[in-house]
Amino acid sequence: MIDRAIHALAEPRRRDILYLVRDGELTSSAIASHFDISAPAISQHLKVLEEAGLVVVRRAGTKRIYGIRREGFEELKQYIESFWDDSLLRLKEAAEEEERREHESKQQQ
């Protein structure tokens, strides 16, 4: 699922769609009104976002209403944080090694 999320987020219009629905639901036509491309093109973007698990869709009569699916971002968040956590660990280990060297150097003097 993470590959689908990364692929979905790679397209700027899809990121713009996510910003539009992050604070509340919108119909597909309301979303399309923010763009200068066709409604079918927006529908394709929404389909990619839905398949990636980043938006949820519900039907109200003939309307399709889209909202953010925050759970869909959790795996992506954990993936990105793993790089940050590894970097912090390496920084901590480097700082401890430097401190150990300084301590040993002072003892030898």
Side-chain angles (χ1 to χ4, degrees):
M1 197 62 125
I2 193 164
D3 290 338
R4 284 184 177 186
I6 291 170
H7 169 75
L9 291 171
E11 216 295 326
R13 285 190 182 109
R14 292 186 200 129
R15 292 192 304 269
D16 292 341
I17 291 169
L18 291 171
Y19 278 112
L20 289 172
V21 298
R22 73 178 174 185
D23 294 325
E25 296 178 322
L26 290 173
T27 63
S28 54
S29 58
I31 293 167
S33 72
H34 288 85
F35 298 91
D36 60 352
I37 59 174
S38 69
I42 291 298
S43 292
Q44 281 302 112
H45 287 305
L46 288 165
K47 182 179 179 183
V48 170
L49 290 168
E50 182 184 6
E51 288 174 352
L54 301 176
V55 298
V56 63
V57 61
R58 66 180 177 86
R59 292 185 185 267
T62 59
K63 295 181 180 181
R64 295 174 61 90
I65 302 170
Y66 292 85
I68 200 85
R69 185 174 171 273
R70 298 196 190 285
E71 303 86 358
F73 289 87
E74 189 58 37
E75 185 179 354
L76 184 61
K77 180 181 171 193
Q78 289 174 359
Y79 175 74
I80 291 169
E81 284 179 348
S82 73
F83 290 100
W84 181 249
D85 291 344
D86 290 348
S87 296
L88 288 176
L89 179 61
R90 285 193 298 275
L91 178 62
K92 177 182 178 269
E93 290 170 350
E96 289 171 348
E97 177 65 22
E98 181 66 25
E99 185 177 323
R100 184 185 60 75
R101 287 182 187 161
E102 287 177 10
H103 180 72
E104 288 174 359
S105 176
K106 287 179 184 176
Q107 284 183 341
Q108 292 175 355
Q109 294 175 355

